Amino acid sequence: MDVAAPDSTALPRYLDRLNPAQRAAVEHGGGAVAGPLLVIAGAGSGKTNTLAHRVAHLIVAGADPRRILLMTFSRRAAAEMTRRVERIAGEVMGEKAGVLAGGLDWAGTFHSVGARLLRDHAPEIGLDPAFTIHDREDSADLMNLVRHERGLSKTESRFPAKGTCLAIYSRAVNSQAPLDEVLGMAFPWCAGWADELRGLFAAYVEAKQAENVLDFDDLLLYWAQMAAEPGLAAAMGERFDHILVDEYQDTNRLQASILTALKPDGRGLTVVGDDAQSIYSFRAAEVRNILDFPALFKPPAGVVTLDRNYRSTETILAAANAVIGEASERFAKNLWSERRSSAKPRLVAVRDDAGQANYVCDRVLEEREAGTALKAQAVLFRAAHHSGPLEVELTRRNIPFVKFGGLKFLDSAHVKDVLAVLRFAENPRDRVAGFRVLQLMPGVGPTTAGAAIEAMGAALDPALGLSAFRAPARSEMDWPAFVDLFTGLRTSSAAKWPADLERARLWYEPHLERIHEDAAMRRADLLQLEQIASSYPSRERFLTDLTLDPPAASSDRPGPPHLDEDFLILSTIHSAKGQEWKNVFVLNCVDGCIPIDLAAGESAELDEERRLLYVAMTRAKDSLDLVVPQRFYVHGQAARGDRHVYASRTRFVTDRMLPHFEQLSWPLSKWLGAAAPAPAAPVVDLRQKMRNMWR
């Protein structure tokens, strides 16, 4: 059921900036609790702006902001959305808008909202509200402990590693699919271990419960299980008049089941997304969630399509529309733009990886000299290793670049150490945190750490058990200080936060000096962590938010972060989603890379690879280059022979689509440079020698 655009007469001032389709989405229901709404928001169509206007419109119309649930895929996106809502509502309501927008405290990610609801309903579901949350690395460590305890690390044949075990568990939970099906589809090399994995996962769940910890997947799983109980589902659903969800195409089956349980009739439910940008199936995202959404309800959900693009030129959109138009199933939409251009996207044939790298470097420098900053240009690729030859050439030419990814702030050892101290004090049953902290002291190994944790569990109070434990001789000097720290953190109150973190840091600094050579640089990270902590009201809130939505800053100094005030962006296509640049170069637009050869089987996998190319193309504002090397070197093969394969242009750009592109070949002279002068006469006449062999 398509929603008609509203009459443009007598519109409130803050709606003047919206196009008719955006206004239709914003005004759906007229501010009242209305039927379900699906907003199909094409790339660059102003999706975030539309969603912010809808929330502001609801508040202006009298909706209680405390009864609005807004879910995004990052906490920062939720904070930005709240700021926009305040600014938009302020045009009508003045100073009152700030107070009302401040009441929009149910804005966050699925996982953060789930954590809040679990703590609120903990007594009703048999959960200790003092639970702590493991990040992926800690979850993998606990999985490894259980794996070892079950004797699976001593098998005659190779059992899946801890990270693989966790990935299988996570995929099964989030996709709501039987384990055998998950193994057959995504982990076929592990299919022979199905029974052992099932037992391992059961023991892993028991270990989490014994330690009072939840992992990322539990936050959704527990929430979904709560929502499956009619009484609890009704109680949670009644909390909210309006539920709005961003990036709905990236939700999994578990998240979709939560939404339908909270709002079974769909009243007050608005979801925003683009089926053409569903590219995260490896995280169990389910494109069918958005494709099937309208038919979930009776009457069917209203549908508004945002197809006006404010980012790219019309020629880039024409090519992108042609590519996605071949998808086997999608919502019908063709993006259009008022940005006219005579320059078509380029389809560039180059000889090999070296030619590709040289072409990109030449074009990037050419654009820079024409006035386009390096930061306004991006090079995208399907897999991280595809950029290797380009990185070498960029370094050789002294072109600074930043590659999306690398070690994250919270993944660095020293930050994880300090956070483990806080988590262990918050929840002494957390064995992973306990093992990590106790082994920081000299003379304490896994056996001693395990014995200390057992002594704490057997005592009436964990702090008493720790103080009564007889420490090894090598750690006698350090043990009393740790006992004092642990006891102080256990008895601490919210009034002492964030002084608790400073206390943990001061205890940790001598160990930092002993363990790490670059202690001064790492200490700066810990001071930064204290600054972050000062914005949180309590230790529990700090640990929860940092685990669920960590900062993305790099640490451990992989290299100077910025070689220049300007730098080129390198990124995988997955990491580039939601971004935009003036000029975009897409590497390796050949079969075997796009689509990647491992995904060239089923139709659903090919459709997702097509959507990946579409996402890459729609990141470009003014200029788009798809680079097609005639041959490229295969990653991961033994270093014998030439190791290259000859490639054909990606199957997603068919002959029928070629009129949408400017085709060119990067000249051979560009690769080889100026030809060397020919010698006056041959030094050796090899041709004559070859003829004489058979005479």
Side-chain angles (χ1 to χ4, degrees), residues 193-470:
W193 295 102
D195 292 338
E196 290 83 355
L197 286 168
R198 194 172 284 104
L200 172 64
F201 297 158
Y204 172 64
V205 171
E206 290 176 2
K208 287 189 293 182
Q209 293 181 357
E211 297 181 18
N212 196 31
V213 298
L214 302 181
D215 60 24
F216 276 10
D217 303 314
D218 286 334
L219 298 176
L220 296 182
L221 185 60
Y222 276 57
W223 188 6
Q225 295 293 335
M226 283 170 59
E229 299 294 326
L232 287 171
M236 288 187 291
E238 287 170 1
R239 281 186 178 225
F240 310 109
D241 295 328
H242 302 274
I243 299 178
L244 302 98
V245 184
D246 195 12
E247 304 288 3
Y248 189 66
Q249 78 279 351
D250 295 332
T251 55
N252 56 44
R253 290 181 181 175
L254 210 53
Q255 291 164 322
S257 70
I258 291 170
L259 292 177
T260 51
L262 296 184
K263 297 293 179 184
D265 59 357
R267 288 184 58 77
L269 181 60
T270 299
V271 301
V272 183
D274 182 8
D275 58 294
Q277 298 186 67
S278 178
I279 58 175
Y280 294 114
S281 66
F282 64 93
R283 298 179 188 166
E286 178 56 72
V287 70
R288 296 240 56 94
N289 286 351
I290 192 168
L291 291 173
D292 298 340
F293 183 83
L296 287 177
F297 309 99
K298 294 190 183 325
V303 179
V304 174
T305 302
L306 309 183
D307 55 5
R308 179 179 176 181
N309 180 286
Y310 293 90
R311 174 188 301 157
S312 307
T313 63
E314 59 179 356
T315 51
I316 291 174
L317 292 179
N321 286 334
V323 168
I324 200 62
E326 299 291 319
S328 60
E329 188 176 6
R330 68 186 186 105
F331 284 107
K333 75 174 175 300
N334 281 309
L335 298 183
W336 62 277
S337 173
E338 292 185 349
R339 296 190 62 213
R340 306 287 181 241
S341 174
S342 58
K344 295 180 179 180
R346 284 174 289 273
L347 202 58
V348 186
V350 296
R351 183 180 179 185
D352 52 20
D353 287 345
Q356 180 171 244
N358 276 302
Y359 171 75
V360 170
C361 289
D362 282 2
R363 286 278 294 119
V364 163
L365 292 176
E366 182 184 318
E367 289 290 333
R368 179 179 178 268
E369 292 303 314
T372 304
L374 293 178
K375 285 183 182 177
Q377 306 183 66
V379 183
L380 309 183
F381 31 87
R382 174 63 179 84
H385 62 266
H386 288 173
S387 65
L390 175 62
E391 292 176 46
V392 172
E393 186 64 19
L394 289 169
T395 304
R396 190 184 72 79
R397 297 201 192 192
N398 198 29
I399 302 174
F401 64 91
V402 171
K403 187 173 179 179
F404 278 47
L407 188 66
K408 301 293 189 295
F409 181 72
L410 295 188
D411 292 338
S412 50
H414 52 295
V415 174
K416 288 187 73 69
D417 288 343
V418 173
L419 291 178
V421 173
L422 297 180
R423 279 207 308 273
F424 192 42
E426 186 78 11
N427 178 16
R429 288 191 282 168
D430 188 340
R431 283 196 301 165
V432 171
F435 267 80
R436 185 178 192 106
V437 173
L438 292 170
Q439 291 183 82
L440 290 173
M441 290 177 282
V444 178
T447 304
T448 303
I453 292 171
E454 286 182 12
M456 293 169 67
L460 292 174
D461 182 78
L464 292 175
L466 186 66
S467 61
F469 182 77
R470 187 174 180 84

Side-chain angles (χ1 to χ4, degrees), residues 74 219 228 331 372 469 480 549 619 634 672:
S74 76
L219 298 176
F331 284 107
T372 304
F469 182 77
D549 193 20
R619 299 311 94 195
V634 180
L672 302 181

